[in-house]
Amino acid sequence: MSASGDIEFEHRGPLGLVTLRRPQALNALTLDMIRVFSARLANWAQDSSVKAVVVQGEGDRAFCAGGDIVHIHEGRPAMAHGKNEFGYRFFEAEYSLNRQIKVFPKPYIALMDGVTMGGGVGISVHGSHRVVSERTRLAMPEASIGFFPDVGGSFLLPRLTGEMGLFIGLTGWPLGASDCVRLGIATHFAHSFLNEGLVEALRGADWTNAAPQAVVDAVLSSFDQTPPASEDEDLMNHQQRIDRCFSSATVEAIQSCLGAVGTPWSEKALTLMGRASPTSLKVALAQLRRGAAMTFDEAMQMEFQLSQVFLGKDD
């Protein structure tokens, strides 16, 4: 467990089990949590007795609501030579962890049960297996706090179908399980009450005669179900409108196109964009379009440079 007690690691048979333990803060990540998580992953990558890693959040509200932006914001006044020292350390560690998950050599299973936002997306979607539940609400709402879709959003979002990634990044629209599965953000759906049984099934599986990837695939397939219909209208129903509006050259043109659609869905999208920082919207538009041609490492390097510029601003 970390020094703060906010993250717990168990070596449960063939599994490395990570539990985020800040339910009062929706399991938001602190710098300490990120650092000990990274160190443990490095250890488990080399430990032959660990066949796969499972990551979950404590409580019934959130997997992980992101990074601890309160501490980052409070660190802004402590500028040294034009640099927010805490913010520099935080994003350097967080983005390094995102890359570590992306290249992790063993199955990495994220149980994305509940709110999954920002930094929570970064420690889930880059893993090999992403399991959503009926409680999943996934979003990238960074533009609404004067930031940009980071933690690998530059790589992930442009690779979704059509202009869907740009829509998600500019509006912060929350996705339910159905949209996550249909967009390929999630690989499986399982009801939340099955998560404990899923972990036990992985622990008790026969890992001796098959590759770890095949074992995980088989276990998750046995739990996989069709997600229930979204409480909101499924985003996929609006794919053509999203592609038309979000292929526009500027933020203003996107907003004008949405206004011309004139439906409750487009009005909600406009409202969400209206709550965002105008600077963030313009940066995100350029960032995500550039990210479409970048490797994962290039995208993360761009995001780190952007994070340091944003930390020095008052927006």
Side-chain angles (χ1 to χ4, degrees):
M1 192 176 289
S2 74
S4 64
D6 292 330
I7 185 168
E8 184 177 38
F9 306 98
E10 298 177 64
H11 192 162
R12 191 179 292 183
L15 299 181
L17 180 63
V18 184
T19 304
L20 309 179
R21 294 200 179 279
R22 293 187 75 209
Q24 74 284 359
L26 300 181
N27 296 319
L29 297 168
T30 65
L31 179 57
D32 179 56
M33 291 168 69
I34 290 168
R35 283 176 168 168
V36 295
F37 192 171
S38 177
R40 186 56 61 101
L41 270 189
N43 177 274
W44 281 343
Q46 301 300 319
D47 187 342
S48 61
S49 68
V50 174
K51 305 301 183 184
V53 169
V54 178
V55 185
Q56 62 184 1
E58 185 178 87
D60 58 7
R61 296 175 60 199
F63 166 66
C64 175
D68 195 339
I69 61 171
V70 173
H71 288 162
I72 297 170
H73 179 73
E74 289 174 348
R76 288 187 65 258
M79 301 287 284
H81 307 294
K83 183 169 72 175
N84 178 326
E85 291 291 345
F86 180 81
Y88 184 95
R89 294 194 303 271
F90 184 93
F91 288 113
E92 180 181 47
E94 183 180 34
Y95 296 171
S96 294
L97 175 60
N98 299 153
R99 183 183 187 276
Q100 205 174 350
I101 293 167
K102 178 71 174 176
V103 301
F104 194 66
K106 302 176 182 181
Y108 178 102
I109 305 107
L111 302 181
M112 301 157 65
D113 180 26
V115 174
T116 303
M117 294 186 181
V121 174
I123 61 168
S124 57
V125 299
H126 305 309
S128 60
H129 298 79
R130 291 91 58 191
V131 183
V132 290
S133 77
E134 76 283 359
R135 299 191 296 208
T136 298
R137 291 294 178 271
L138 182 144
M140 298 290 284
E142 288 79 8
S144 67
I145 60 168
F147 207 53
F148 61 94
D150 66 332
V151 295
S154 303
F155 184 84
L156 168 73
L157 295 176
R159 286 162 178 80
L160 300 182
T161 181
E163 299 292 341
M164 189 66 75
L166 197 59
F167 169 81
I168 292 168
L170 294 186
T171 65
W173 191 285
L175 308 180
S178 177
D179 284 325
C180 287
V181 170
R182 292 169 71 181
L183 287 170
I185 295 173
T187 56
H188 299 82
F189 170 86
H191 286 284
S192 57
F193 69 86
L194 295 173
N195 282 343
E196 185 175 345
L198 189 155
V199 172
E200 283 305 302
L202 286 168
R203 185 192 63 80
D206 182 1
W207 297 81
T208 58
N209 298 314
Q213 179 84 18
V215 174
V216 173
D217 287 344
V219 171
L220 293 186
S221 293
S222 71
F223 281 81
D224 194 24
Q225 300 177 15
T226 300
S230 174
E231 292 181 5
D232 298 320
E233 194 172 2
D234 284 346
L235 276 184
M236 305 299 285
N237 295 333
H238 302 287
Q239 183 75 59
Q240 290 185 342
R241 297 186 185 97
I242 288 171
D243 290 349
R244 183 173 74 250
C245 290
F246 284 80
S247 62
S248 302
T250 65
V251 170
E252 293 80 4
I254 291 171
Q255 292 171 317
S256 177
C257 180
L258 287 171
V261 173
T263 65
W265 164 82
S266 63
E267 290 299 322
K268 179 179 177 180
L270 271 175
T271 298
L272 290 170
M273 290 182 70
R275 295 173 183 168
S277 157
T279 301
S280 292
L281 291 177
K282 291 179 180 293
V283 170
L285 177 61
Q287 164 212 354
L288 296 179
R289 289 200 165 140
R290 293 182 185 184
M294 290 181 169
T295 65
F296 184 82
D297 284 357
E298 289 169 342
M300 296 306 297
Q301 289 165 4
M302 175 179 67
E303 290 182 11
F304 183 72
Q305 292 167 352
L306 283 173
S307 75
Q308 300 311 296
V309 174
F310 270 74
L311 285 174
K313 305 296 182 182
D314 292 326
D315 191 351

